[in-house]
């Protein structure tokens, strides 16, 4: 098969790295990226953190410069794709233009779930901000500058990161979470509790097992009635209640969708010559022998690269061990592997200064690890946990518990 | 300090430093990392160029250093940033071993 051209829908992280990877191997192949944002592909993690707290400018977030894309002859079409016709291999853009494709890579990312308080409270629903892109982050930043107290609906990573930015700017956030702990069940309860008290020490309020009964907006103040019969008054509401794969475009098409675009380990979808990568893909993971969808920085990058290689016919299964981080205040939380399938949970380290990591072990093998500590303190051991896990070696629990034992030693046995 | 060591700063004794170990060296309000690789010692700036994080806590894999915070990766020998979010290179510095002691030239 000789390739002529590759079209990519969505100009995010997976797209940028896929394009870059294709160019490393093929200087001629046409690459066209459909970009619905007004920016070149950029990194999103700072949107909830450093860009809000003024540590990083929005202009500094691009992965690659304009000059890079020009010199590598990677073409952008600044339109969104409105329809895909898999039979005739054509894309239809928002200005109703037809764009034929040979090979298609879908990297449309994920989209935020939204709250809906009913038709008679449309103004309230409309006034709530969500965070996905640079424009959202700018609006949130502006709202923090001009208001004092905030309700953050949802105690997941993005909500907590925004709450941390709010506290760092001297304002106050009330985090409303309906679950029993922050950050959902993927994070060990002990770590969720540490994060909770850290926020409270910095002036935020964490409300667990809390639901909103009603919201009233009067004289620019939101009165939020909660299920525990208390009422909260805040100046502004931001919500982070989770996201889903951005697959609207493919409704009523033949593409196999199930919690994202279903792909195999080679990033191939159910349609011929159509690949998917990043947040949008529900991919087969050979190491775990199951389908999974991830929303994380490193995965988006590596999955984009893997898709590019497979588009070029290299037939390389993607099996990176899942890894993600969240930064709140001066804490860095990291999660590697899967932390929900274990027969032993082992703690390594006992203070945030030096880092605390929980290892999830099943039949003497590390399945996953989750840690939290002051910046830089958990990364090495989390990374090593990932490498040990990949080798499937049996580990000695005493070595894991004992911070004096270098985990790298376990690899060399 | 002997004459041939002029311009060089003493970091530490060599004893006890294993391959893939990192030694942090602070001098004049700046911080550096000295790495022992299979073929000798190398030095770079001690802080990641992405955020203010000490690379001393990172992981050396072959001749690369991975930042412990977001897994930005740098080539130890050249300082080149090869994996984001790290995109600005690290500075590198000459290192030598003399009489069982490690020296860096800043
Ligand atoms: C605020 C925030 C903070 C984050 N922080 C972290 C973190 O700390 N650590 C971590 O590991 N991960 C973090 N992430 C997750 C990480 O950024 C994502 O997993 C990653 O960006 C996914 O890359 P992607 O290429 O799959 O999708 P995206 O980068 O989201 O790109 C998708 C692109 O496709 C475009 N698009 C969608 N539909 C169409 C269409 N029909 N036509 C044209 N274009 C279209 C979208 O507008 C978007 O530009 C964060 C994400 C957000 C939003
Ligand atoms: S601080 Fe080093 S990669 Fe982010």
């Amino acid at each position: 098969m000789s390739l002529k051209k590759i079209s990519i829908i969505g100009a995010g992280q997976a797209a940028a790295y896929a394009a870059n990877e294709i160019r490393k191997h093929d200087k001629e192949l046409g690459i066209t990226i459909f970009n619905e944002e007004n920016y070149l592909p950029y990194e999103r993690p700072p949107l909830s953190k450093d860009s809000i707290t003024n540590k990083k400018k929005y202009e500094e977030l691009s992965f690659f410069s304009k000059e890079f894309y020009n010199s590598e002859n990677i073409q952008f079409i600044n339109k969104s794709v409105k329809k895909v016709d898999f039979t005739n291999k054509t894309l239809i853009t928002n200005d109703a233009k037809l764009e034929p494709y040979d090979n298609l890579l879908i990297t449309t990312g994920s989209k935020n779930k939204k709250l809906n308080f009913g038709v008679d409270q449309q103004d309230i629903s409309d006034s709530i901000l969500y965070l996905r892109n640079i424009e959202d982050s700018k609006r949130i930043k502006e709202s923090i500058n001009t208001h004092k107290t905030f309700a953050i609906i949802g105690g997941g990573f993005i909500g907590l990161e925004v709450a941390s930015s709010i506290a760092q700017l001297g304002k106050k956030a009330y985090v409303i979470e309906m679950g029993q702990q922050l950050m959902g069940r993927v994070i060990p309860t002990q770590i969720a509790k540490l994060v909770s008290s850290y926020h409270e020490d910095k002036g935020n309020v964490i409300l667990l097992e809390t639901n909103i009964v009603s919201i009233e907006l009067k004289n620019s103040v939101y009165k939020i009635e909660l299920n525990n019969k208390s009422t909260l008054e805040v100046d502004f509401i931001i919500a982070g209640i989770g996201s889903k794969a951005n697959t609207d475009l493919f409704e009523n098409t033949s593409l196999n969708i199930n919690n994202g675009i279903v792909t195999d380990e080679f990033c191939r979808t159910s349609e011929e010559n159509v690949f998917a990568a990043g947040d949008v893909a529900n991919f087969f993971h050979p190491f775990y022998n199951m389908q999974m969808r991830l929303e994380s920085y490193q995965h988006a990058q590596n999955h984009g690269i893997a898709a590019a290689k497979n588009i070029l016919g290299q037939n390389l299964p993607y099996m990176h061990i899942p890894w993600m981080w969240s930064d709140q205040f001066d804490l860095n939380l990291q999660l590697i592997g899967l932390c929900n399938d274990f027969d032993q949970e082992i703690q390594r380290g006992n203070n945030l200064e030096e880092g605390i990591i929980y290892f999830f072990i099943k039949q003497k093998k590390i399945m996953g690890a989750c840690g939290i500590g002051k910046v830089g303190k958990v990364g090495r051991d989390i990374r090593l946990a990932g490498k040990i896990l990949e080798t499937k070696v049996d580990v000695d629990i005493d070595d894991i518990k004992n911070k004096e034992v270098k985990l790298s030693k376990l690899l060399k046995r | 300090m002997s004459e041939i060591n002029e311009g060089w700063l003493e970091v530490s004794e060599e004893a006890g430093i294993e391959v893939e170990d990192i030694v942090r060296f602070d001098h004049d309000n700046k911080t550096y990392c000295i790495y022992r690789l299979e073929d000798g010692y190398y030095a770079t700036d001690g802080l990641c160029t992405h955020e203010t994080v000490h690379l001393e806590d990172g992981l050396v894999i072959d001749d690369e250093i991975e930042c412990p915070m977001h897994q930005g990766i740098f080539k130890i020998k050249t300082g080149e940033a090869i994996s984001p979010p790290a995109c600005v290179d690290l500075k590198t510095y000459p290192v030598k071993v003399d009489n069982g002691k490690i020296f860096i030239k800043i």
Side-chain angles (χ1 to χ4, degrees), chain A residues 90-353:
Chain A
T90 0
L91 310 177
I92 301 165
T93 52
N94 52 336
D95 53 355
K97 272 232 168 102
L98 299 184
E99 300 275 355
Y101 71 80
D102 298 318
N103 287 272
L104 186 62
L105 173 60
I106 303 167
T107 53
T108 47
S110 37
K111 61 188 270 186
N112 294 322
K113 291 185 185 159
K114 297 264 166 91
L115 293 158
N116 186 350
F117 296 103
V119 263
D120 38 330
Q121 292 209 300
Q122 200 56 43
D123 54 332
I124 291 181
S125 298
D126 291 346
S127 70
I128 295 175
L129 294 186
Y130 298 82
L131 180 50
R132 173 70 32 200
N133 55 37
I134 287 189
E135 305 306 339
D136 297 335
S137 176
K138 285 183 175 169
R139 274 192 288 269
I140 286 176
K141 185 173 177 166
E142 173 62 22
S143 80
I144 298 172
N145 287 339
T146 49
H147 299 82
K148 284 206 180 83
T149 54
F150 299 80
I152 305 290
I153 306 180
F157 294 119
I158 292 185
L160 288 169
E161 288 171 1
V162 172
S164 141
S165 298
I166 288 173
Q168 289 179 63
L169 293 168
K171 313 280 171 97
K172 189 179 185 103
Y174 294 84
V175 179
I176 303 172
E177 166 57 44
M178 60 185 197
Q180 289 173 346
Q181 68 161 70
L182 295 175
M183 299 173 287
R185 279 163 302 164
V186 287
I187 298 296
T189 318
Q190 304 91 317
I191 289 187
K193 281 188 182 149
L194 286 171
V195 169
S196 195
S197 2
Y198 214 80
H199 274 264
E200 304 231 313
D201 286 349
K202 304 279 180 189
N204 286 341
V205 176
I206 306 287
L207 303 160
L208 296 175
E209 294 182 79
T210 304
N211 282 304
I212 295 173
V213 176
S214 67
I215 304 185
E216 216 178 286
L217 178 58
K218 238 187 218 157
N219 304 324
S220 307
V221 174
Y222 292 90
K223 264 195 174 165
I224 307 179
E225 195 195 331
L226 303 171
N227 58 338
N228 57 10
K229 299 205 167 55
S230 64
T231 310
L232 201 61
E233 290 195 3
V234 295
D235 309 326
F236 210 86
I237 303 180
I238 299 165
I241 54 163
S243 41
K244 52 186 177 206
N246 197 355
T247 55
D248 295 356
L249 185 57
F250 312 103
E251 268 168 31
N252 306 319
T253 71
S254 50
L255 190 67
N256 187 5
I257 309 272
N258 180 7
N259 176 31
I261 301 174
V262 178
T263 72
D264 62 9
E265 64 271 46
F266 303 102
C267 309
R268 294 184 296 218
T269 70
S270 59
E271 291 294 319
E272 205 182 337
N273 300 333
V274 180
F275 297 74
D279 280 14
V280 77
N282 179 359
F283 64 101
F284 180 74
H285 199 304
F287 185 86
Y288 292 101
N289 197 22
M290 61 191 256
Q291 293 290 134
M292 61 173 79
R293 191 174 83 79
L294 301 172
E295 293 175 5
S296 88
Y297 183 95
Q298 205 195 40
H299 166 67
Q301 176 177 325
N302 291 334
H303 209 208
I305 293 172
K309 290 186 167 154
N310 286 310
I311 290 170
L312 296 172
Q314 296 185 8
N315 280 324
L316 293 169
Y318 176 79
M319 36 188 174
H320 277 269
I321 301 299
W323 174 76
M324 61 84 57
W325 81 83
S326 170
D327 296 333
Q328 298 168 41
F329 302 102
D330 55 350
L331 295 182
N332 171 241
L333 179 158
Q334 297 192 15
L335 179 67
I336 192 142
L338 301 182
C339 301
N340 56 4
D341 182 20
F342 58 94
D343 49 38
Q344 265 181 305
E345 183 179 355
I346 306 295
Q347 181 177 346
R348 179 177 169 95
N350 53 21
N351 62 74
L352 288 174
E353 289 303 319

Side-chain angles (χ1 to χ4, degrees), chain B residues 48-53 55 67-74 84-86:
Chain B
C48 183
T49 55
H50 180 234
E51 284 173 22
T52 320
V53 172
L55 292 171
C67 174
M69 189 84 164
H70 312 121
Q71 287 185 15
I73 305 176
F74 303 89

